[in-house]
Amino acid sequence: SMSRGRMTMSRLLLAAALVAACEASQRTSGQFTATLSGQLQKLGEGKVSTVACIGPRNSGKGGLLNSLLGTTVPDVEAGVATAVDEERGVAVLNTEGFGERLGSASAADDATGDTAVAVALSDVVVLSVFFREFISDPADAVGSLSELRPSLEIALKMARESGAKAPRKRPLFLVVRDFEADEGVTTADVAAQFSSLLDSMWVSLAHLPMASGLKPSDVLQVQVVALPPSSAGGFADAADGLKAKLSKASDAAAPASKVLASLVLAQRIADQAASDVSLDAGPEDFAQAAACARAASEVFEEYVAASSSLHDRAGSRDRREPLPTLGSEGSVLLNAALDSFDTRTAAYNGTLLCDKRRSYLQTQVLADLRPLHTSNLQLAVKQAVVDFARRSANISTAAAGPSGFDGQLEAVVSQTLGAFKAKADALKVPEAGSAGTSGLEE
């Protein structure tokens, strides 16, 4: 009985180690998109709603959300921290925030690309501000909406690319912390001030096709929530009220796979915007940018056609084992696309604009291949666990010495991991001449 128990525990430990390796492969340190992708892939078809929190840097935004939602998202100095509650189906995205430090009167920093993507992706947005700062200088208190504007631009472009008739309207909770009711300022006053700021910000988005004829209220459902100081009476009731509103607003959960697809789209739009030529560029730069963009678009369309067979074979729901040629075929497709782009843009090779477009094309191809890589790697993991169970069933519990139970178990683990590694290596998609594997790693 003890030997059987040890074998069962060993199987569980190996399965956990294999799954952890699979998940870790989808993440790159410091990259919000890669981290959240791994967390969403773990949920599969489970439903999840996303809540993003923005506001001043180092102001305890993460702690506020944790107290309201019961999550464990950390505060973050740069980028976006994530916490996914699998049981409740909630993903919390805590952004770095704006400003140099809490209470600083310095101009707000531009929102990072990660923050813009996180907010554009979210079902619910929480904007945390402090009462005294808001009544003193509303624009400075909300960072001149520097985190909101780029995210709305991405959201509008996402709606257009997905074929929606109108952008999705999402709740935005303006949480006014340390609210002092005896100051003669009401939540209606705060709402009016914030609405004016939104209107001013919206002017810079009016040129976008999906923004035509719309107002901020068509894309954001703003609700002002007054949160008294934690030491004051009424704080607990106000916090409970906000908690109930957040829970209700985040009820519209979507399958994690759909959220993952939206994340990829949002990141692609953000990357594309980052690679665009600046408005003060000369005619030569515009001509170069147009030529490189056109080449990248044509090459990707050719790649899509060429990769259809691989998608059919590697992405089949009937597949029970990983496609052993996925890595080599994917590598051929990737390198063919990059070579074709290099040939078409030979006149601009080595320039910053051309390099950005090439990098973006590579990202597009890898983003298209990643679901195939992930699903086939998961098949390899399942096979490894089954293989381990089969091998370990033959372990003799009566053997003694070096070939005893522990020795046999170590041999089985080594054989199983070796077989798994060989299959996982075959799934890597390297770029010719590159020391790395372009992001689709073991």
Side-chain angles (χ1 to χ4, degrees):
S1 175
M2 182 176 295
S3 296
R4 287 197 299 271
R6 292 168 72 183
M7 284 196 293
T8 300
M9 179 58 69
S10 297
R11 291 172 186 168
L12 292 173
L13 289 174
L14 178 64
L18 291 170
V19 172
C22 181
E23 290 172 359
S25 72
Q26 308 303 322
R27 301 176 188 150
T28 304
S29 177
Q31 293 185 350
F32 151 71
T33 301
T35 300
L36 184 58
S37 293
Q39 293 168 327
L40 292 173
Q41 287 167 10
K42 186 176 180 181
L43 291 177
E45 289 303 308
K47 291 194 171 183
V48 63
S49 58
T50 49
V51 181
C53 188
I54 57 179
R57 180 179 280 115
N58 298 330
S59 61
K61 301 184 300 297
L64 174 65
L65 278 187
N66 289 337
S67 65
L68 294 171
L69 297 174
T71 50
T72 56
V73 64
D75 281 318
V76 61
E77 287 294 330
V80 178
T82 66
V84 177
D85 187 328
E86 299 176 32
E87 191 173 321
R88 295 165 55 199
V90 177
V92 178
L93 316 176
N94 184 30
T95 68
E96 63 180 282
F98 52 82
E100 295 180 358
R101 61 182 59 179
L102 182 60
S104 171
S106 63
D109 297 333
D110 289 336
T112 64
D114 281 352
T115 294
V117 170
V119 178
L121 178 72
S122 295
D123 300 306
V124 182
V125 181
V126 176
L127 172 52
S128 168
V129 300
F130 287 92
F131 176 74
R132 283 287 177 183
E133 294 181 3
F134 188 87
I135 62 173
S136 174
D137 189 339
D140 188 64
V142 297
S144 299
L145 299 179
S146 61
E147 294 178 304
L148 201 55
R149 188 217 167 277
S151 63
L152 287 180
E153 180 173 350
I154 292 176
L156 289 167
K157 291 179 178 179
M158 288 174 66
R160 188 185 186 195
E161 291 208 18
S162 62
K165 293 182 179 179
R168 177 168 56 105
K169 187 173 183 177
R170 72 197 71 199
L172 185 150
F173 292 97
L174 178 61
V175 180
V176 186
R177 299 162 69 180
D178 296 343
F179 190 88
E180 300 174 32
D182 56 357
E183 287 292 319
V185 178
T186 66
T187 55
D189 296 329
V190 173
Q193 288 271 21
F194 187 68
S195 177
S196 177
L197 293 171
L198 281 177
D199 289 339
S200 299
M201 178 269 294
W202 190 257
V203 173
S204 65
L205 298 172
H207 68 285
L208 297 173
M210 285 299 292
S212 178
L214 297 180
K215 306 183 297 294
S217 57
D218 294 319
V219 296
L220 293 173
Q221 182 184 352
V222 178
Q223 300 181 49
V224 177
V225 179
L227 203 60
S230 57
S231 59
F235 173 82
D237 290 341
D240 287 342
L242 176 57
K243 186 184 303 183
K245 289 181 179 181
L246 283 174
S247 298
K248 183 177 180 181
S250 58
D251 279 346
S257 58
K258 184 176 180 181
V259 180
L260 180 58
S262 296
L263 173 63
V264 171
L265 175 59
Q267 187 63 61
R268 178 169 65 79
I269 291 173
D271 290 342
Q272 189 170 13
S275 68
D276 286 343
V277 64
S278 62
L279 294 178
D280 58 353
E284 298 83 2
D285 292 324
F286 278 109
Q288 181 185 139
C292 293
R294 182 171 59 252
S297 178
E298 292 171 353
V299 168
F300 187 71
E301 288 181 7
E302 294 170 1
Y303 157 79
V304 170
S307 64
S308 60
S309 172
L310 179 60
H311 273 274
D312 290 341
R313 288 178 287 118
S316 172
R317 291 182 177 273
D318 297 328
R319 178 164 290 283
R320 294 292 178 265
E321 59 183 26
L323 181 67
T325 59
L326 173 59
S328 58
E329 290 187 58
S331 181
V332 169
L333 289 166
L334 171 64
N335 289 304
L338 295 178
D339 288 344
S340 179
F341 176 83
D342 290 342
T343 300
R344 297 180 193 210
T345 60
Y348 308 116
N349 282 353
T351 64
L352 179 60
L353 287 172
C354 187
D355 288 347
K356 283 186 175 182
R357 273 298 166 186
R358 190 183 193 277
S359 177
Y360 176 58
L361 172 63
Q362 179 178 338
T363 300
Q364 279 186 297
V365 172
L366 293 175
D368 182 70
L369 292 174
R370 182 173 288 279
L372 298 181
H373 177 267
T374 299
S375 62
N376 279 259
L377 190 59
Q378 289 172 343
L379 288 174
V381 170
K382 292 177 181 177
Q383 275 194 334
V385 174
V386 171
D387 183 37
F388 177 77
R390 178 182 58 78
R391 292 173 186 267
S392 62
N394 297 321
I395 293 179
S396 170
T397 58
S403 63
F405 177 87
D406 288 343
Q408 294 178 75
L409 185 60
E410 287 179 6
V412 167
V413 170
S414 178
Q415 293 164 1
T416 304
L417 287 175
F420 170 75
K421 189 176 186 304
K423 292 177 181 178
D425 283 341
L427 300 178
K428 293 181 178 181
V429 182
E431 177 188 348
S434 172
T437 56
S438 300
L440 301 187
E441 302 175 351
E442 179 188 337

